[in-house]
Amino acid sequence: AFLQGVLNQLAAASQKATSVQTAAAQAQQTTMQFLQSQQQMIQQLQMQLYGQSSPWNVGVAYRIPDTNFNLQGTYQQGRANVQLSCVPDEYAPFLGPNGFVNGVGPGNLGLSLNLSI
């Protein structure tokens, strides 16, 4: 009788835990559906505001020789962005007294192109 009572309590606790997990999963699914609908609404508003977005995403980076300046340019979703940043070159001592390259080379020019269709 005692063992039957303990087993019944364990079964009830297990059933309660399962129902809590099911409720949490349903709440998470509802939240995800809401967020997806909000994301679609934002995308529709952006299309109305900015027009059809371009599928082109282009990024260019150039480190100005003998300086700590890095010039970056990006174009995504019909918008261009230019950024100038000061980034110290931690690897300069490894390059030797004359540096690794003189002028534009693969060490100080970067290009990335992302095309989404």
Side-chain angles (χ1 to χ4, degrees), residues 24-40:
Q26 288 175 346
Q28 185 178 14
Q29 182 179 5
T30 303
T31 303
M32 288 301 294
Q33 288 174 346
F34 174 75
L35 291 175
Q36 287 173 347
S37 68
Q38 293 297 309
Q39 183 180 13
Q40 288 176 349

Side-chain angles (χ1 to χ4, degrees), residues 12-82:
S14 175
Q15 188 176 22
K16 187 174 183 179
T18 302
S19 66
V20 167
Q21 286 177 340
T22 304
Q26 288 175 346
Q28 185 178 14
Q29 182 179 5
T30 303
T31 303
M32 288 301 294
Q33 288 174 346
F34 174 75
L35 291 175
Q36 287 173 347
S37 68
Q38 293 297 309
Q39 183 180 13
Q40 288 176 349
M41 191 182 309
I42 289 172
Q43 288 175 345
Q44 289 174 353
L45 289 172
Q46 284 178 338
M47 286 181 64
Q48 289 176 359
L49 185 62
Y50 301 114
Q52 180 67 31
S53 65
S54 172
W56 289 89
N57 291 333
V58 179
V60 176
Y62 176 71
R63 185 175 190 90
I64 301 171
D66 300 323
T67 67
N68 288 337
F69 293 109
N70 192 34
L71 184 64
Q72 293 177 314
T74 58
Y75 176 82
Q76 39 181 319
Q77 297 181 348
R79 296 186 207 164
N81 184 27
V82 177

